[in-house]
Amino acid sequence: MDFALSSDQQLLVGSFDALLGKQSRPEEVRAAEPIGFDAALWQSLRRLEPVAMAVPEDSGGWGASMLDLCLIGESLGRHCAPVPVIETQVTARLLARLGRDTVVEPLLAGGVATTAPHPVLRRHGAAAGIARLVPAGAVAGLVLVREGAQLRALRPDPVPVPVPNLASLPLADVPADGGEVLLTGPGALEAFETAVDEWLLLTASALVGLSASALALAVGYAGERTAFGKPIGAFQGIAHRLADVATGIDGARVLVHEAAWSADEGLAAAAERACMAFAFASDVARQATYWAMHTLGGYGVMLEHDAQLYFRRARGWAAVYGDAEAAYRRVAARRYPRRQAPGLTSVTTNKVTS
């Protein structure tokens, strides 16, 4: 089995790494907090056209494969890029599948859009519902939501107030009344679930990149810090832990690539594999950042240290959907649909702490 990237893929990754290496350094990432959106970086990324890559050619895009998008996602995660690329890609692809090319066009020109990964919540007797903790909801001009069997497009005005959160993401609770109805019925449910699967997969790829950077930080320190006349990385208590992390990252990357390949091939197992890749990558990210923090010792628990950028995001990025258990429940719902009511395959709670 050949896991090597093609020359075109190497150029793709190199282009994003080069730009993000200059404009998404730890100091820029911190400067974008607490909202978690760097408008200057978003504008710079426009020349690489990450949203156009995600959109099919007949809708004005490049028609890149899901694997290519995962390679971009890993680069974004590697640099903790504070830009809603994944959210906008997923939303643009959903709109393109619905034939809404006129709505896609502003996104190709630099607009920000997102899709709420959980259905709208409506309290008993309430006139309007609300989409809770929508990723990029605090900066998006367009938000797609599902309520029941209806898929709608909202244009929040004013833009909702950000919800403070562990990962410094531009999360927001978006009022879900009104808006344009895009689709109703089983087709709306299917389109929404496909978008959530893609969001899970691309987020998994970002978590792989984040984990790799956390590991590199720990390995670098373990090779320089000495104790008893030796680098601390020479001691089994550290070396074995970091080796386990490295193995986990490789496994997560393989799962992400397999899920992406399954999606590109149109396999029925693609949805399940996307969920499993997300679940495994989120667990790996937690372990990678945990052991990176412990390897660094007292430095690792300081908020000023770069390790904390990875530690907080490893938990916050995944928690937007729920956690690994929530993703596994989603797999079970797909495998055993008769145990669920129609259209309720999404977990409707998440654990992002404010």
Side-chain angles (χ1 to χ4, degrees), residues 209-337:
L210 180 150
S211 302
S213 289
L215 176 62
L217 190 67
V219 170
Y221 181 78
E224 296 174 356
R225 178 73 165 87
T226 60
F228 306 106
K230 295 181 179 180
I232 62 173
F235 298 106
Q236 292 182 354
I238 291 178
H240 288 186
R241 293 295 187 184
L242 297 183
D244 288 343
V245 168
T247 301
I249 293 172
D250 285 343
R253 184 178 289 113
V254 169
L255 281 175
V256 167
H257 288 191
E258 181 179 6
W261 171 79
S262 300
D264 290 332
E265 293 296 316
L267 302 183
E272 290 185 8
R273 290 172 180 171
C275 297
M276 289 188 285
F278 172 84
F280 191 77
S282 63
D283 278 342
V284 166
R286 291 179 68 90
Q287 290 297 313
T289 54
Y290 176 87
W291 287 113
M293 184 182 70
H294 277 267
T295 300
L296 289 158
Y299 292 121
V301 298
M302 297 171 59
L303 287 176
E304 296 82 3
H305 199 282
D306 292 351
Q308 284 295 318
L309 295 177
Y310 305 119
F311 185 86
R312 291 186 288 114
R313 283 160 179 78
R315 286 142 184 81
W317 287 0
V320 170
Y321 180 74
D323 54 15
E325 182 182 348
Y328 287 130
R329 289 200 300 269
R330 183 176 173 85
V331 174
R334 290 292 181 89
R335 184 66 64 89
Y336 307 108

Side-chain angles (χ1 to χ4, degrees), residues 79-294:
H79 297 277
C80 292
V83 282
V85 171
I86 290 174
E87 292 86 349
T88 306
Q89 286 177 332
V90 168
T91 304
R93 289 171 63 85
L94 173 54
L95 290 167
R97 285 195 296 272
L98 298 179
R100 300 282 181 152
D101 293 351
T102 56
V103 187
V104 173
E105 288 175 4
L107 305 184
L108 300 179
V112 177
T114 187
T115 299
H118 299 288
V120 170
L121 295 177
R122 186 185 294 269
R123 296 188 183 278
H124 181 70
I130 189 166
R132 296 287 187 186
L133 298 178
V134 178
V139 295
L142 176 68
V143 180
L144 303 190
V145 299
R146 176 175 81 79
E147 184 171 8
Q150 190 178 81
L151 189 62
R152 299 203 310 274
L154 308 174
R155 299 184 184 277
D157 185 21
V159 176
V161 176
V163 176
N165 61 92
L166 183 67
S168 295
L169 289 168
L171 298 176
D173 292 337
V174 180
D177 54 320
E180 177 188 0
V181 176
L182 300 177
L183 195 62
T184 301
L189 299 176
E190 182 179 356
F192 174 79
E193 296 299 341
T194 298
V196 173
D197 290 335
E198 292 184 348
W199 183 85
L200 289 171
L201 178 54
L202 293 176
T203 300
S205 69
L207 288 168
V208 170
L210 180 150
S211 302
S213 289
L215 176 62
L217 190 67
V219 170
Y221 181 78
E224 296 174 356
R225 178 73 165 87
T226 60
F228 306 106
K230 295 181 179 180
I232 62 173
F235 298 106
Q236 292 182 354
I238 291 178
H240 288 186
R241 293 295 187 184
L242 297 183
D244 288 343
V245 168
T247 301
I249 293 172
D250 285 343
R253 184 178 289 113
V254 169
L255 281 175
V256 167
H257 288 191
E258 181 179 6
W261 171 79
S262 300
D264 290 332
E265 293 296 316
L267 302 183
E272 290 185 8
R273 290 172 180 171
C275 297
M276 289 188 285
F278 172 84
F280 191 77
S282 63
D283 278 342
V284 166
R286 291 179 68 90
Q287 290 297 313
T289 54
Y290 176 87
W291 287 113
M293 184 182 70
H294 277 267

Side-chain angles (χ1 to χ4, degrees), residues 29-54:
V29 175
R30 286 194 185 88
E33 294 181 336
I35 294 179
F37 176 61
D38 186 337
L41 176 59
W42 178 254
Q43 290 301 316
S44 295
L45 280 171
R46 284 184 58 188
R47 65 183 178 85
L48 297 181
E49 299 186 311
V51 178
M53 293 178 188

